[in-house]
Coordinates of all heavy atoms in Angstrom, one line a residue:
A401 N -15.3 -2.9 27.4 CA -14.5 -3.1 26.2 C -15.3 -3.9 25.1 O -15.2 -3.6 23.9 CB -13.3 -3.9 26.5
K402 N -16.2 -4.8 25.5 CA -17.0 -5.5 24.6 C -17.9 -4.6 23.8 O -18.1 -4.8 22.6 CB -17.8 -6.6 25.4 CG -18.5 -7.6 24.5 CD -17.5 -8.5 23.8 CE -18.3 -9.6 23.1 NZ -17.4 -10.3 22.2
A403 N -18.4 -3.6 24.5 CA -19.4 -2.6 23.8 C -18.7 -1.9 22.7 O -19.3 -1.4 21.7 CB -20.0 -1.7 24.8
L404 N -17.3 -1.7 22.8 CA -16.6 -0.9 21.8 C -16.1 -1.8 20.6 O -15.5 -1.2 19.7 CB -15.5 -0.2 22.4 CG -15.9 1.0 23.3 CD1 -14.7 1.6 24.0 CD2 -16.6 2.1 22.6
E405 N -16.3 -3.1 20.7 CA -15.8 -3.9 19.7 C -16.4 -3.5 18.3 O -17.6 -3.4 18.2 CB -16.2 -5.4 20.0 CG -15.4 -6.4 19.2 CD -15.7 -7.8 19.7 OE1 -15.3 -8.1 20.9 OE2 -16.2 -8.6 19.0
D406 N -15.6 -3.2 17.4 CA -16.0 -2.8 16.0 C -16.7 -1.4 16.0 O -17.3 -1.0 15.0 CB -16.9 -3.8 15.3 CG -16.1 -5.1 15.1 OD1 -14.9 -5.1 14.8 OD2 -16.8 -6.2 15.3
A407 N -16.6 -0.7 17.1 CA -17.3 0.6 17.2 C -16.4 1.7 16.6 O -16.9 2.8 16.2 CB -17.7 1.0 18.6
I408 N -15.1 1.5 16.6 CA -14.1 2.5 16.1 C -13.4 1.9 14.9 O -12.9 0.8 15.0 CB -13.1 2.9 17.2 CG1 -13.9 3.5 18.4 CG2 -12.1 3.8 16.7 CD1 -13.0 3.9 19.6
A409 N -13.4 2.7 13.8 CA -12.8 2.2 12.6 C -12.2 3.4 11.9 O -12.7 4.6 12.0 CB -13.8 1.6 11.7
P410 N -11.1 3.2 11.1 CA -10.6 4.3 10.3 C -11.6 4.8 9.3 O -12.5 4.1 8.9 CB -9.4 3.7 9.6 CG -9.1 2.4 10.3 CD -10.4 2.0 10.9
H411 N -11.5 6.1 9.0 CA -12.4 6.7 8.0 C -12.3 6.0 6.7 O -11.1 5.7 6.3 CB -12.1 8.2 7.8 CG -13.0 8.9 7.0 ND1 -13.0 8.9 5.6 CD2 -14.1 9.7 7.4 CE1 -14.0 9.7 5.2 NE2 -14.6 10.2 6.2
P412 N -13.4 5.6 6.0 CA -13.3 4.8 4.8 C -12.4 5.4 3.7 O -11.7 4.7 3.0 CB -14.7 4.8 4.3 CG -15.6 5.0 5.5 CD -14.8 5.9 6.4
K413 N -12.4 6.8 3.6 CA -11.6 7.4 2.6 C -10.2 7.9 3.1 O -9.3 7.9 2.3 CB -12.3 8.6 2.0 CG -13.6 8.2 1.2 CD -14.2 9.4 0.6 CE -15.5 9.0 -0.2 NZ -16.2 10.2 -0.6
R414 N -10.1 8.2 4.3 CA -8.9 8.8 4.9 C -8.1 7.8 5.7 O -6.9 8.1 6.1 CB -9.2 10.1 5.7 CG -9.8 11.1 4.8 CD -10.1 12.4 5.6 NE -10.8 13.4 4.8 CZ -12.1 13.5 4.7 NH1 -12.9 12.7 5.3 NH2 -12.6 14.4 3.9
G415 N -8.6 6.7 6.0 CA -7.9 5.7 6.8 C -6.6 5.2 6.2 O -5.7 4.9 6.9
A416 N -6.6 5.2 4.9 CA -5.4 4.7 4.2 C -4.2 5.6 4.5 O -3.0 5.2 4.4 CB -5.6 4.7 2.7
A417 N -4.4 6.8 5.0 CA -3.3 7.7 5.3 C -2.5 7.2 6.5 O -1.4 7.6 6.7 CB -3.8 9.1 5.6
L418 N -3.0 6.3 7.3 CA -2.3 5.7 8.4 C -1.3 4.6 8.0 O -0.4 4.3 8.8 CB -3.3 5.1 9.4 CG -4.4 6.0 10.0 CD1 -5.3 5.2 10.9 CD2 -3.7 7.1 10.8
A419 N -1.5 4.1 6.8 CA -0.7 3.0 6.4 C 0.8 3.4 6.4 O 1.2 4.4 5.8 CB -1.1 2.5 5.0
G420 N 1.6 2.6 7.0 CA 3.1 2.8 7.0 C 3.5 4.0 7.9 O 4.7 4.4 7.8
R421 N 2.6 4.5 8.7 CA 3.0 5.7 9.5 C 2.8 5.4 11.0 O 2.0 4.6 11.4 CB 2.1 6.8 9.2 CG 2.2 7.2 7.7 CD 1.3 8.3 7.4 NE 2.1 9.5 7.6 CZ 1.6 10.7 7.4 NH1 0.4 10.9 7.0 NH2 2.4 11.8 7.6
P422 N 3.6 6.1 11.8 CA 3.4 6.0 13.3 C 2.2 6.9 13.7 O 1.9 7.8 13.0 CB 4.7 6.5 13.9 CG 5.2 7.4 12.8 CD 4.8 6.9 11.5
V423 N 1.5 6.5 14.7 CA 0.3 7.2 15.1 C 0.4 7.5 16.6 O 0.8 6.7 17.4 CB -1.0 6.4 14.9 CG1 -2.2 7.0 15.5 CG2 -1.2 6.2 13.4
L424 N 0.0 8.7 17.0 CA -0.1 9.1 18.4 C -1.5 9.4 18.7 O -2.1 10.3 18.1 CB 0.8 10.4 18.7 CG 0.7 10.9 20.1 CD1 1.2 9.9 21.1 CD2 1.4 12.3 20.2
L425 N -2.1 8.6 19.7 CA -3.4 8.8 20.1 C -3.4 9.7 21.4 O -2.6 9.3 22.3 CB -4.1 7.5 20.4 CG -4.3 6.5 19.3 CD1 -4.8 5.2 19.7 CD2 -5.2 7.1 18.2
V426 N -4.2 10.7 21.5 CA -4.1 11.6 22.6 C -5.5 11.7 23.2 O -6.5 11.8 22.5 CB -3.7 13.1 22.2 CG1 -3.7 14.0 23.4 CG2 -2.3 13.0 21.5
D427 N -5.6 11.5 24.5 CA -6.9 11.6 25.2 C -6.7 12.4 26.5 O -5.6 12.4 27.1 CB -7.3 10.1 25.6 CG -8.8 10.0 25.9 OD1 -9.5 11.1 25.9 OD2 -9.3 8.9 26.1
D428 N -7.7 13.1 26.9 CA -7.6 13.9 28.1 C -7.7 13.0 29.4 O -6.9 13.2 30.3 CB -8.7 15.0 28.2 CG -10.1 14.5 28.1 OD1 -10.3 13.3 27.7 OD2 -11.0 15.2 28.3
V429 N -8.6 12.1 29.4 CA -8.7 11.2 30.6 C -8.9 9.8 30.2 O -9.8 9.5 29.3 CB -9.9 11.6 31.5 CG1 -10.1 10.7 32.7 CG2 -9.8 13.1 32.0
M430 N -8.1 8.8 30.8 CA -8.3 7.4 30.5 C -9.0 6.8 31.7 O -8.5 6.9 32.8 CB -7.0 6.7 30.2 CG -7.2 5.3 29.9 SD -5.6 4.4 29.4 CE -4.8 4.3 31.0
T431 N -10.1 6.1 31.5 CA -10.8 5.4 32.6 C -10.4 4.0 32.6 O -9.5 3.5 33.2 CB -12.3 5.7 32.5 OG1 -12.6 7.1 32.5 CG2 -13.0 5.1 33.7
S432 N -11.1 3.2 31.7 CA -10.8 1.8 31.6 C -9.7 1.5 30.5 O -9.1 0.4 30.6 CB -12.0 1.0 31.3 OG -12.4 1.3 29.9
G433 N -9.5 2.4 29.6 CA -8.6 2.2 28.5 C -9.2 1.5 27.3 O -8.6 1.3 26.3
A434 N -10.5 1.2 27.4 CA -11.2 0.4 26.3 C -11.3 1.3 25.0 O -11.1 0.7 23.9 CB -12.6 0.0 26.8
T435 N -11.5 2.6 25.1 CA -11.6 3.4 24.0 C -10.3 3.5 23.3 O -10.2 3.4 22.0 CB -12.2 4.8 24.3 OG1 -13.5 4.6 24.9 CG2 -12.3 5.7 23.1
L436 N -9.3 3.7 24.1 CA -7.9 3.8 23.5 C -7.5 2.5 22.9 O -6.8 2.5 21.8 CB -6.9 4.3 24.5 CG -7.0 5.8 24.9 CD1 -6.2 6.1 26.2 CD2 -6.6 6.7 23.8
A437 N -7.8 1.4 23.5 CA -7.5 0.1 23.0 C -8.2 -0.1 21.6 O -7.6 -0.6 20.7 CB -7.8 -1.0 23.9
A438 N -9.4 0.3 21.5 CA -10.2 0.1 20.3 C -9.6 1.0 19.2 O -9.5 0.6 18.0 CB -11.7 0.4 20.5
A439 N -9.2 2.2 19.6 CA -8.7 3.1 18.6 C -7.3 2.6 18.1 O -7.0 2.7 16.9 CB -8.5 4.5 19.2
A440 N -6.5 2.1 19.0 CA -5.2 1.6 18.6 C -5.4 0.4 17.7 O -4.6 0.2 16.7 CB -4.4 1.2 19.9
T441 N -6.3 -0.5 18.0 CA -6.6 -1.7 17.2 C -7.0 -1.2 15.8 O -6.5 -1.8 14.8 CB -7.7 -2.5 17.8 OG1 -7.2 -3.0 19.1 CG2 -8.0 -3.7 16.9
A442 N -7.8 -0.2 15.7 CA -8.3 0.3 14.4 C -7.1 0.9 13.6 O -7.0 0.7 12.4 CB -9.4 1.4 14.6
A443 N -6.2 1.6 14.3 CA -5.1 2.2 13.6 C -4.1 1.2 13.1 O -3.6 1.3 12.0 CB -4.3 3.2 14.6
R444 N -3.9 0.1 13.9 CA -3.0 -1.0 13.4 C -3.7 -1.7 12.3 O -3.0 -2.1 11.3 CB -2.8 -2.0 14.6 CG -2.0 -1.4 15.7 CD -0.5 -1.2 15.4 NE 0.1 -2.5 15.2 CZ 1.3 -2.7 14.7 NH1 2.0 -1.7 14.3 NH2 1.8 -3.9 14.6
A445 N -5.0 -1.9 12.3 CA -5.7 -2.5 11.2 C -5.6 -1.7 9.9 O -5.6 -2.3 8.8 CB -7.2 -2.8 11.6
A446 N -5.5 -0.4 10.0 CA -5.4 0.5 8.9 C -3.9 0.5 8.4 O -3.6 1.2 7.4 CB -5.8 1.9 9.2
G447 N -3.0 -0.1 9.1 CA -1.6 -0.2 8.6 C -0.6 0.7 9.4 O 0.5 0.8 9.0
A448 N -1.1 1.3 10.5 CA -0.1 2.1 11.3 C 1.0 1.2 11.7 O 0.8 0.1 12.1 CB -0.8 2.7 12.5
T449 N 2.3 1.7 11.6 CA 3.4 1.0 12.0 C 3.7 0.9 13.5 O 4.2 -0.1 14.0 CB 4.7 1.5 11.3 OG1 4.8 2.9 11.7 CG2 4.6 1.4 9.8
D450 N 3.3 2.0 14.2 CA 3.6 2.1 15.6 C 2.5 2.9 16.2 O 2.2 4.0 15.6 CB 4.9 2.7 15.9 CG 5.4 2.7 17.3 OD1 5.0 1.8 18.0 OD2 6.1 3.6 17.7
V451 N 1.8 2.5 17.3 CA 0.8 3.3 17.9 C 1.2 3.6 19.3 O 1.5 2.7 20.1 CB -0.6 2.5 17.9 CG1 -1.7 3.3 18.6 CG2 -1.0 2.2 16.4
R452 N 1.3 4.8 19.6 CA 1.6 5.3 21.0 C 0.4 6.0 21.5 O -0.4 6.6 20.8 CB 2.8 6.3 21.0 CG 4.0 5.7 20.3 CD 4.8 4.8 21.3 NE 5.9 4.1 20.6 CZ 7.1 4.2 21.0 NH1 7.4 4.9 22.1 NH2 8.1 3.6 20.3
I453 N 0.3 6.0 22.9 CA -0.9 6.7 23.5 C -0.3 7.7 24.6 O 0.6 7.4 25.3 CB -1.7 5.6 24.2 CG1 -2.3 4.7 23.2 CG2 -2.8 6.2 25.1 CD1 -3.0 3.5 23.7
L454 N -1.0 8.8 24.6 CA -0.6 9.9 25.5 C -1.9 10.3 26.2 O -2.9 10.6 25.6 CB 0.0 11.1 24.8 CG 0.2 12.3 25.7 CD1 1.3 12.0 26.7 CD2 0.6 13.5 24.8
V455 N -2.0 10.2 27.5 CA -3.1 10.7 28.3 C -2.7 11.7 29.3 O -1.6 11.6 29.8 CB -3.9 9.5 29.0 CG1 -4.5 8.5 28.0 CG2 -3.0 8.8 30.0
V456 N -3.6 12.6 29.6 CA -3.3 13.7 30.6 C -3.6 13.2 32.0 O -2.8 13.5 32.9 CB -4.1 15.0 30.3 CG1 -3.9 16.0 31.3 CG2 -3.8 15.5 28.9
A457 N -4.6 12.4 32.2 CA -5.0 12.0 33.5 C -5.6 10.5 33.4 O -6.1 10.1 32.4 CB -6.0 12.9 34.1
R458 N -5.4 9.8 34.5 CA -6.0 8.5 34.6 C -7.0 8.5 35.7 O -6.7 8.8 36.9 CB -4.8 7.5 35.0 CG -5.2 6.1 35.3 CD -5.3 5.3 34.1 NE -5.3 3.9 34.4 CZ -6.4 3.1 34.3 NH1 -7.5 3.7 33.9 NH2 -6.3 1.9 34.6
A459 N -8.2 8.1 35.4 CA -9.3 8.1 36.4 C -9.2 6.7 37.1 O -8.9 5.7 36.6 CB -10.7 8.2 35.7
L460 N -9.6 6.8 38.4 CA -9.6 5.5 39.2 C -11.0 4.9 39.0 O -12.0 5.5 39.1 CB -9.4 5.9 40.7 CG -8.1 6.5 41.0 CD1 -8.0 6.8 42.5 CD2 -6.9 5.5 40.7
L461 N -10.9 3.6 38.7 CA -12.2 2.8 38.5 C -13.0 2.6 39.7 O -14.2 2.6 39.7 CB -11.9 1.5 37.8 CG -11.4 1.5 36.4 CD1 -11.0 0.1 35.9 CD2 -12.4 2.2 35.5
D462 N -12.3 2.5 40.9 CA -13.1 2.3 42.1 C -13.6 3.5 42.8 O -14.3 3.5 43.8 CB -12.2 1.5 43.1 CG -11.0 2.2 43.6 OD1 -10.8 3.4 43.2 OD2 -10.2 1.7 44.4
G463 N -13.2 4.7 42.2 CA -13.7 5.9 42.8 C -12.9 6.4 44.0 O -13.2 7.5 44.6
G464 N -12.0 5.6 44.4 CA -11.2 5.9 45.6 C -10.1 6.8 45.3 O -9.8 7.2 44.2
G465 N -9.4 7.2 46.3 CA -8.3 8.2 46.1 C -7.1 7.6 46.6 O -6.1 7.4 46.9

């Protein structure tokens, strides 16, 4: 998560389109959740009113089943 700090930001010209709007982030696989957390933080910083996350699969961190 530390490596992604400030790595994801709204587009300088198009990020304003998020202001006052709900956002749905979609990802195929969530491992640690750090990327989605960073994207959600960026969306909220751009003014998104509500950020929801949808993932298709969740990977296990320990590699076990």
Side-chain angles (χ1 to χ4, degrees):
K402 189 71 172 166
L404 290 175
E405 197 171 298
D406 298 323
I408 297 177
H411 188 278
K413 293 182 181 176
R414 295 182 184 93
L418 299 176
R421 304 181 87 178
V423 171
L424 175 63
L425 300 173
V426 180
D427 199 357
D428 57 348
V429 178
M430 181 174 73
T431 305
S432 70
T435 302
L436 288 168
T441 298
R444 294 288 291 169
T449 57
D450 187 31
V451 179
R452 304 280 174 126
I453 296 171
L454 175 67
V455 296
V456 176
R458 171 88 163 106
L460 298 176
L461 291 177
D462 65 2

